[in-house]
Amino acid sequence: SLSLSQTVLVSLLICGGYLYVFFHERTRHLLLWASGWLFNALQLSTMLVLTVYPNSIPVTLIFHLSGLVSCVLILMGTEHFLERKSSARPAWAMAGCAAAAGVVLLELGYPLAADYTVHAALCLLQVWTGVVLLLDRKRERLAQLLGLLFMLWGLHRLDYPMLRDNELGFSIRFFISSLLVTAIGITVLMLHYTQGKNAHEELLDRYSRLFHDSHTMMMLVEPDTGRIVEINEAALRFYGYSESQMLDMTVLQLNTLPPEKVRAAMDEARQTGRRQYHFRHRLADGQIRDVQVTAGPIRFGQKDLLFSILLDISDERQREMFHMLERELSLCSSHATDVKSYLEQVLVVLSALECVDGCSVHLNNKETGKPVLIHLISREDTCDHLLRSGKLLLLDPNFVRLG
């Protein structure tokens, strides 16, 4: 009874351990395993009752049924854990047939035959579980060890009918059973955590490859300092810096905006969830490119970072600015009364368009329609400077259009 009580206690502790992990992870196989060990504890508890009432048919039936249910649930949990096709139906069919045969044999007055029938089914179900683990496609040593332990436990089931009337043999039997139950319960938890860890590492490796090998430019940035924490190969090629150089830089050094505006944008992305920004970034060769940045907060380890996806939109932005500039300068041409007012309006337009450094102005003679002068105007020019340049003073102010 002492050995049997120890085995019951071990089963309940293992069941409690599985339930504790289940409430944290909410995985189905843990619930199935916990249920299986709970029914195993119920079977062992009814065995304690049978030591007092050895001829009680209801208690014997509960003993047999709880053992069969326990083995089927543990098999189902193992198959679900290994992501194998479930064999629950044939397992339940075998358990049902064994239970029915046990009931018939008990009614006919053959309790020993009923014990052998049910324990043979228990042996097959646990050997079945062991084979499932041994055939695991990942071939982990821990899974193979657990498979051998289940097969050994299954074979150990067969000695119960032989030793049930032998007090010393019965005590030794349940001492061995207690050791097997403890070893299997701990090994199952170890396998669960080992495969969970492996799956986590595999997932991290997959996302790392997705980040670093992607053709889309990506980087991870500290929102407080703007320091670049991670950057992929596509972004390194675009900016023209080495990885070590980029990891020593901040996005404040890349952005042409004043640092306070860049910090404000990072704070906005982190706090309000705004996703998209348009910036102008300076490359290693000094070239200025228009970049669309899609950013959002992400938890990386113990840090809160900004995950940024960058898209070079310089060509698209240039076309957009060209059409806008053309439209605005056409309005300047139609509203200007003389060269000076025209130039003043052109300079206002240039100052409003940050992505445009200058434009080429074509002035035509109103009467002949022939071009009189092509003059390049930059955003740094002033109207007085252009008028004092000498060439513009020779123009006929009656121009008609912007070319």
Side-chain angles (χ1 to χ4, degrees):
S1 297
L2 181 61
S3 298
L4 187 54
S5 301
Q6 290 174 346
T7 311
V8 172
L9 181 61
V10 169
S11 294
L12 288 174
L13 287 174
I14 292 171
C15 175
Y18 290 151
L19 286 174
Y20 176 79
V21 180
F22 167 74
F23 286 124
H24 282 79
E25 299 186 13
R26 301 289 179 177
T27 49
R28 185 184 173 192
H29 62 268
L30 284 168
L31 182 60
L32 289 168
W33 280 338
S35 303
W37 286 102
L38 185 62
F39 275 98
N40 183 66
L42 176 62
Q43 183 194 26
L44 296 172
S45 300
T46 54
M47 195 178 295
L48 281 171
V49 178
L50 283 174
T51 59
V52 181
Y53 304 102
N55 298 319
S56 172
I57 292 179
V59 176
T60 303
L61 286 175
I62 295 172
F63 168 72
H64 289 160
L65 287 173
S66 57
L68 290 166
V69 171
S70 168
C71 289
V72 174
L73 289 174
I74 290 173
L75 172 62
M76 290 171 62
T78 304
E79 289 181 325
H80 188 272
F81 171 67
L82 298 176
E83 298 178 349
R84 291 175 60 91
K85 184 179 179 182
S86 176
S87 51
R89 286 186 180 179
W92 283 118
M94 180 190 294
C97 291
V103 170
V104 171
L105 289 169
L106 282 172
E107 289 294 332
L108 294 175
Y110 300 105
L112 188 60
D115 278 345
Y116 272 114
T117 301
V118 172
H119 279 77
L122 294 176
C123 171
L124 287 174
L125 287 168
Q126 291 194 318
V127 169
W128 189 346
T129 305
V131 171
V132 166
L133 285 160
L134 287 171
L135 295 178
D136 178 29
R137 62 178 181 273
K138 296 179 182 177
R139 297 287 182 179
E140 289 193 11
R141 289 185 180 180
L142 202 58
Q144 293 180 339
L145 173 62
L146 185 59
L148 291 173
L149 287 173
F150 264 112
M151 294 179 76
L152 186 59
W153 193 19
L155 295 173
H156 179 60
R157 293 275 191 178
L158 293 175
D159 61 22
Y160 170 75
M162 295 182 286
L163 299 174
R164 62 178 293 178
D165 295 326
N166 184 321
E167 186 175 345
L168 179 61
F170 193 78
S171 179
I172 294 172
R173 191 248 180 210
F174 276 99
F175 175 74
I176 296 172
S177 180
S178 176
L179 293 177
L180 280 173
V181 167
T182 305
I184 289 173
I186 293 173
T187 308
V188 167
L189 279 177
M190 288 173 61
L191 183 63
H192 169 75
Y193 279 113
T194 301
Q195 290 210 0
K197 181 182 177 182
N198 292 342
H200 180 66
E201 289 176 352
E202 190 177 310
L203 186 64
L204 285 178
D205 181 62
R206 189 181 306 161
Y207 278 113
S208 177
R209 290 199 305 270
L210 181 65
F211 178 85
H212 288 287
D213 299 340
S214 174
H215 296 294
T216 303
M217 296 183 288
M218 301 180 192
M219 65 171 67
L220 291 171
V221 179
E222 282 186 352
D224 295 327
T225 62
R227 187 176 70 87
I228 299 168
V229 177
E230 284 284 341
I231 186 166
N232 70 350
E233 189 63 33
L236 290 174
R237 287 195 301 269
F238 174 71
Y239 286 104
Y241 292 102
S242 67
E243 185 175 7
S244 59
Q245 287 175 311
M246 288 296 288
L247 295 181
D248 287 335
M249 297 174 67
T250 68
V251 290
L252 307 177
Q253 294 169 267
L254 299 175
N255 210 308
T256 59
L257 285 175
E260 57 273 12
K261 290 190 176 180
V262 181
R263 289 194 183 94
M266 288 191 293
D267 288 340
E268 185 182 30
R270 179 175 55 176
Q271 295 171 8
T272 67
R274 180 180 171 186
R275 294 290 180 181
Q276 211 165 81
Y277 299 86
H278 291 117
F279 294 126
R280 305 197 77 201
H281 281 189
R282 185 177 290 103
L283 310 187
D285 59 6
Q287 187 181 168
I288 305 295
R289 304 290 287 178
D290 291 288
V291 177
Q292 176 181 294
V293 180
T294 303
I298 186 174
R299 188 73 174 170
F300 190 78
Q302 300 299 317
K303 294 182 178 180
D304 290 319
L305 301 177
L306 284 178
F307 175 53
S308 301
I309 298 175
L310 303 99
L311 181 65
D312 180 14
I313 57 169
S314 300
D315 294 338
E316 177 186 337
R317 191 73 168 167
Q318 191 174 19
R319 286 193 297 270
E320 182 183 327
M321 288 298 103
F322 174 78
H323 292 308
M324 187 182 297
L325 181 63
E326 188 177 40
R327 184 172 62 253
E328 294 295 329
L329 293 182
S330 296
L331 291 174
C332 292
S333 175
S334 60
H335 295 152
T337 57
D338 54 24
V339 172
K340 184 175 181 180
S341 64
Y342 171 70
L343 292 176
E344 287 173 345
Q345 293 183 42
V346 169
L347 291 170
V348 170
V349 170
L350 286 178
S351 65
L353 300 176
E354 293 182 357
C355 299
V356 179
D357 297 320
C359 65
S360 178
V361 178
H362 296 222
L363 299 178
N364 297 347
N365 185 284
K366 185 175 181 179
E367 295 178 355
T368 65
K370 295 179 180 181
V372 175
L373 178 70
I374 300 176
H375 191 84
L376 184 64
I377 302 178
S378 72
R379 57 188 298 131
E380 287 80 16
D381 283 329
T382 64
C383 184
D384 291 338
H385 169 72
L386 291 171
L387 290 173
R388 287 199 304 268
S389 62
K391 295 179 181 179
L392 288 178
L393 296 176
L394 301 175
L395 294 175
D396 182 349
N398 298 318
F399 58 88
V400 291
R401 69 182 179 87
L402 169 73

